[in-house]
């Protein structure tokens, strides 16, 4: 006897009972068991269309003609009338990655079809690239009974009719080219871009060095695509790109230009690699101070040692520095020294776009994880070095498992990842083994490191 390959989905049902003693239902309902549906995967056969290899689904043309997009032929055999067939199509641009998106489809005169605008929406969840693409698809089938029960045919992981379709999506609202250049005084500098398709990642950027003389005269710029048109610019340090306009910048030093070619916007800001923290703890020396780091040239953060007062600097001299602003937590160029009131190690964060800062006193540094004595519930605190307050050290009992470094007995600030290049919020670190080890955390230099011996 052939085994029916069906899985019945759970149907949520509820019954109300009267809260009185000795109450009996006058006619208790008889128990019912779901019957096995009289069909299996052999009842459905989905095959590619005959001319599929050469046909392209032009979604814009189909939509304008008010026609469905044909996907595949379907044959149903011995299909019970009391069941409604429900099909969904899984889609991917990579046959090894399924499903990346799913869309409901219909059966019309023996052909699996989908509305072109629905397919367009599903395609854009895969990629915004408007170029013709080959899409890998397969189908999942369910049978719906009149009372609402649904059965997966072959189970929830069974798929029918794997094949490919060629899709030409709607045209993009704006053309995004593969390459762009920053034009200044007739010289073109290529913009940086990720390995993604530019429609999926429309952000381009470049860092240029602008001299003080160029900034004083006004550094003129334009954005030029590889094709040469359209040439665009903008007014101010941020806003919308406009065709034919020439921008003007008065910033000096390293300056980053960032362009979003989908939104047609731009932003310009100083691209300081680090911020120095000269103060009484380091003899007011930028070179000897701790540094804050950034990934976007806007937000900077790191651990610093503060004695009495300090300032933030973007250069190895005092040409670009910030101190206390008019309001609490704000910065001002050449402002007064910052004095937190308590000497110690602080986690410092700075937003140069908003000219704000925050300082959090670090009172504990410890090791936590299922590889440690107290698991993930509590950290094993280390001892702060008397010679260098940015160094913590101590004995830790390890077992099997993972661990991280945590501060102030909470998860606001933690380090993980590569022990020789720790990162904020980094991944868990594998146990060094079973036994007692000496753990040393050093935040006095970059990169931050932890050693286990």
């Amino acid at each position: 006897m052939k085994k029916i390959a069906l899985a019945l989905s759970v149907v949520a049902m509820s019954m109300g009972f009267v809260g009185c003693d000795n109450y009996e239902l006058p006619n208790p309902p008889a128990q019912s068991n779901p019957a096995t549906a009289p069909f299996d995967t052999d009842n459905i056969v989905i095959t590619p269309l005959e001319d599929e290899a050469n046909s392209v689904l032009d979604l814009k043309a189909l939509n304008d003609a008010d026609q469905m997009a044909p996907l595949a032929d379907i044959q149903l055999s011995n299909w019970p009338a009391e069941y409604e067939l429900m099909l969904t199509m899984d889609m991917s641009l990579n046959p090894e990655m399924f499903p990346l998106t799913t869309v409901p489809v219909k059966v019309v005169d023996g052909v699996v079809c989908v509305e072109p605008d629905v397919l367009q929406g599903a395609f854009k969840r895969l990629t915004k690239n408007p170029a013709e693409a080959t899409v890998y698809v397969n189908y999942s089938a369910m049978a719906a009974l009149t009372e609402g029960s649904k059965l997966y045919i072959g189970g929830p992981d069974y798929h029918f009719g794997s094949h490919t379709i060629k899709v030409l999506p709607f045209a993009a609202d704006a053309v995004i080219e593969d390459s762009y250049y920053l034009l200044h005084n007739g010289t073109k500098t290529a913009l940086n871009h990720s390995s993604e398709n530019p429609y999926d990642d429309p952000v381009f950027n470049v860092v240029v060095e602008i001299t003080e003389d160029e900034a004083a005269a006004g550094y003129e710029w334009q954005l030029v695509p590889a094709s040469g048109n359209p040439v665009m610019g903008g007014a101010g340090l941020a806003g919308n790109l406009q065709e034919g306009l020439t921008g003007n910048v008065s910033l000096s030093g390293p300056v980053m230009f960032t362009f979003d070619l989908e939104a047609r916007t731009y932003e310009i800001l100083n691209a300081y690699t680090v911020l120095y923290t000269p103060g009484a703890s380091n003899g007011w020396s930028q070179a000897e101070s701790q540094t804050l780091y950034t990934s976007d040239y806007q937000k900077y953060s790191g651990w610093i040692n503060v004695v009495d007062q300090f300032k933030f600097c973007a250069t190895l001299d005092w040409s670009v520095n910030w101190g206390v602003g008019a309001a609490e937590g704000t910065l001002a160029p050449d402002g007064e020294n910052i004095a937190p009131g308590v000497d110690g190690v602080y986690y410092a964060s700075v937003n140069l776009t908003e000219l704000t800062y925050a300082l959090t006193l670090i009172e504990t540094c410890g090791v936590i994880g299922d590889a440690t004595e107290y698991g993930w519930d509590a950290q094993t605190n280390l001892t702060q070095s008397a010679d260098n307050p940015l160094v913590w050290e101590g004995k830790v009992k390890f077992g099997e498992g993972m661990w991280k470094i945590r501060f102030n007995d909470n998860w606001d600030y933690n380090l993980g990842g590569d022990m020789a290049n720790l990162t904020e919020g980094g991944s868990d670190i594998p146990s060094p083994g079973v036994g007692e080890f000496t753990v040393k955390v050093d935040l006095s230099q970059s990169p931050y490191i932890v050693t286990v011996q």
Side-chain angles (χ1 to χ4, degrees):
M1 180 178 181
K2 181 184 293 184
K3 182 179 179 181
I4 304 300
L6 292 171
L8 180 62
S9 66
V10 177
V11 178
M13 302 179 66
S14 63
M15 295 182 64
F17 292 90
V18 178
C20 299
D21 293 338
N22 302 318
Y23 179 81
E24 294 182 358
L25 289 174
N27 294 297
Q31 291 185 343
S32 62
N33 296 311
T36 302
F39 49 78
D40 62 15
T41 55
D42 292 340
N43 292 96
I44 302 175
V45 177
I46 298 177
T47 56
L49 298 172
E50 289 186 4
D51 59 347
E52 182 178 277
N54 299 315
S55 63
V56 177
L57 297 175
D58 186 333
L59 301 187
K60 179 64 165 58
L62 289 168
N63 194 65
D64 290 345
D66 197 23
Q67 296 179 358
M68 300 277 281
L71 301 170
D73 288 320
I74 183 170
Q75 292 181 340
L76 302 179
S77 58
N78 301 320
W79 188 266
E82 65 269 25
Y83 287 92
E84 176 190 357
L85 176 64
M86 301 175 64
L87 284 178
T88 56
M89 180 176 69
D90 295 335
M91 300 171 53
S92 177
L93 296 176
N94 184 338
E96 304 300 323
M97 299 175 65
F98 258 95
L100 289 187
T101 189
T102 301
V103 60
V105 294
K106 303 176 181 179
V107 176
V108 179
D109 297 330
V111 177
V112 180
C113 301
V114 65
E115 295 286 353
D117 57 341
V118 173
L119 183 55
Q120 168 70 17
F123 183 86
K124 287 191 71 173
R125 292 195 291 272
L126 299 177
T127 178
K128 294 180 181 179
N129 187 355
E132 177 187 317
T134 296
V135 182
Y136 298 85
V137 303
N138 57 40
Y139 305 87
S140 297
M142 296 183 73
L145 291 168
T146 54
E147 65 266 23
S149 298
K150 295 178 182 178
L151 303 111
Y152 278 105
I153 302 175
D157 297 323
Y158 189 89
H159 297 97
F160 295 86
S162 297
H163 65 110
T164 61
I165 58 175
K166 293 181 180 179
V167 176
L168 178 63
F170 289 28
D173 294 334
V175 174
I176 304 179
E177 298 191 20
D178 292 333
S179 302
Y180 287 84
Y181 300 88
L182 188 72
L183 179 63
H184 169 68
N185 283 348
T187 300
K188 293 195 301 184
T189 302
L191 270 61
N192 303 309
H193 187 258
S194 71
S195 59
E196 294 287 326
N197 181 280
Y199 286 94
D200 294 324
D201 178 12
V203 177
F204 293 73
N205 60 50
V206 68
V207 175
V208 297
E209 191 74 29
I210 299 178
T211 67
E212 292 185 3
D213 290 341
E214 288 175 325
Y219 184 93
E220 294 186 342
W221 64 272
Q222 289 182 315
L223 178 68
V224 183
S227 66
N229 286 296
V231 176
M232 295 174 282
L237 296 179
N240 296 318
L241 290 167
Q242 302 177 51
E243 293 186 18
L245 192 65
T246 298
N248 196 293
V249 177
S250 58
L251 299 178
S252 63
V255 176
M256 183 170 70
F257 291 75
T258 302
F259 302 95
D260 185 328
L261 273 302
E262 180 180 35
R264 287 296 198 263
T265 58
Y266 72 95
E267 182 179 44
I268 305 169
L269 48 81
N270 277 113
Y272 302 116
T273 305
V274 299
L275 292 185
Y276 303 98
T277 56
S281 68
N282 47 61
W284 292 97
S285 168
Q286 284 86 351
E288 299 299 322
S289 71
Q290 288 84 53
T291 48
L292 307 186
Y293 302 93
T294 183
S295 60
D296 60 7
Y297 300 109
Q298 299 180 67
K299 298 177 181 178
Y300 296 74
S301 61
W303 284 264
I304 65 174
N305 182 37
V306 177
V307 174
D308 192 20
Q309 302 178 0
F310 77 103
K311 297 187 79 172
F312 296 111
C313 285
T315 57
L316 286 169
D317 55 26
W318 294 97
S319 59
V320 183
N321 73 87
W322 297 269
V324 175
E328 183 177 356
T330 64
L331 296 172
D334 300 315
E336 296 294 324
N337 296 342
I338 301 168
V342 177
D343 293 349
V345 173
Y346 286 82
Y347 180 85
S349 57
V350 173
N351 188 317
L352 284 186
T353 303
E354 300 175 355
L355 282 183
T356 58
Y357 77 100
L359 299 173
T360 300
L361 181 65
I362 300 300
E363 299 181 276
T364 64
C365 171
V367 173
I368 189 170
D370 56 13
T372 67
E373 187 174 4
Y374 306 111
W376 292 105
D377 296 326
Q379 64 189 51
T380 302
N381 284 327
L382 307 176
T383 301
Q384 195 170 26
S385 170
D387 298 326
N388 188 340
L390 286 157
V391 175
W392 286 264
E393 188 173 357
K395 299 286 187 179
V396 178
K397 293 180 181 179
F398 281 99
E400 299 297 332
M402 310 294 284
W403 61 282
K404 297 187 74 172
I405 300 159
R406 196 175 73 162
F407 301 88
N408 287 356
D409 294 280
N410 61 57
W411 287 105
D412 290 347
Y413 310 108
N414 66 88
L415 293 169
D418 185 348
M419 292 174 58
N421 186 11
L422 296 170
T423 55
E424 293 185 45
S427 59
D428 298 346
I429 304 170
S431 170
V434 178
E436 187 175 72
F437 295 82
T438 298
V439 177
K440 182 179 180 181
V441 178
D442 188 348
L443 306 182
S444 64
Q445 57 188 351
S446 176
Y448 304 136
I449 62 174
V450 58
T451 56
V452 180
Q453 296 178 332

